[in-house]
Amino acid sequence: MLSSTLDSIGILDAGIVAVLGYIVVFFGLILLMAVVIAMSKIFTMKDAKKAAQPAEEAPAAPAAPAPTAPGTAGGVKLYDVPPKTAAMLMAIVADKMGKPLNELRFISIKEVK
């Protein structure tokens, strides 16, 4: 049915070759899909097993943050800014606003690049 050389094949032989090519490609896609689903199930089971660990085996929880000093407005999150630069910026803002630093609330400081 199929010629050994593909130089002069008929329309029927070309159709069979095309269909076989499609079958091979879709078979490969189905195998890939099965592998991805299996890996997903494996990682889901690992996560569920970790969540079900008893409390004594679970890693220790981080300590509660220390209470803030009287007159402070809480902590400041710094993103790509050294603490010295953040302190200077907060002092400049307080000076320009004419307010004491302990009356201002800075939530975060981020460098704009």
Side-chain angles (χ1 to χ4, degrees):
M1 194 151 87
L2 281 176
S3 324
S4 60
T5 62
L6 297 177
D7 292 338
S8 59
I9 61 172
I11 197 93
L12 181 63
D13 290 336
I16 292 173
V17 169
V19 169
L20 288 176
Y22 288 133
I23 289 172
V24 167
V25 167
F26 279 107
F27 182 71
L29 288 173
I30 290 169
L31 283 179
L32 182 63
M33 184 177 67
V35 168
V36 168
I37 289 172
M39 294 297 288
S40 167
K41 299 238 185 230
I42 289 170
F43 285 116
T44 303
M45 286 190 305
K46 280 186 179 180
D47 289 343
K49 200 179 281 186
K50 259 187 194 174
Q53 268 184 334
E56 64 269 358
E57 291 180 16
T68 57
T72 62
V76 177
K77 293 189 190 273
L78 303 178
Y79 300 99
D80 297 331
V81 178
K84 185 176 180 180
T85 304
M88 286 191 292
L89 288 171
M90 290 188 290
I92 291 169
V93 169
D95 184 58
K96 292 290 182 184
M97 291 183 70
K99 298 234 178 214
L101 190 57
N102 64 348
E103 290 182 9
L104 298 176
R105 170 100 163 100
F106 293 92
I107 297 172
S108 67
I109 299 176
K110 180 179 181 182
E111 179 182 359
V112 179
K113 295 181 180 181

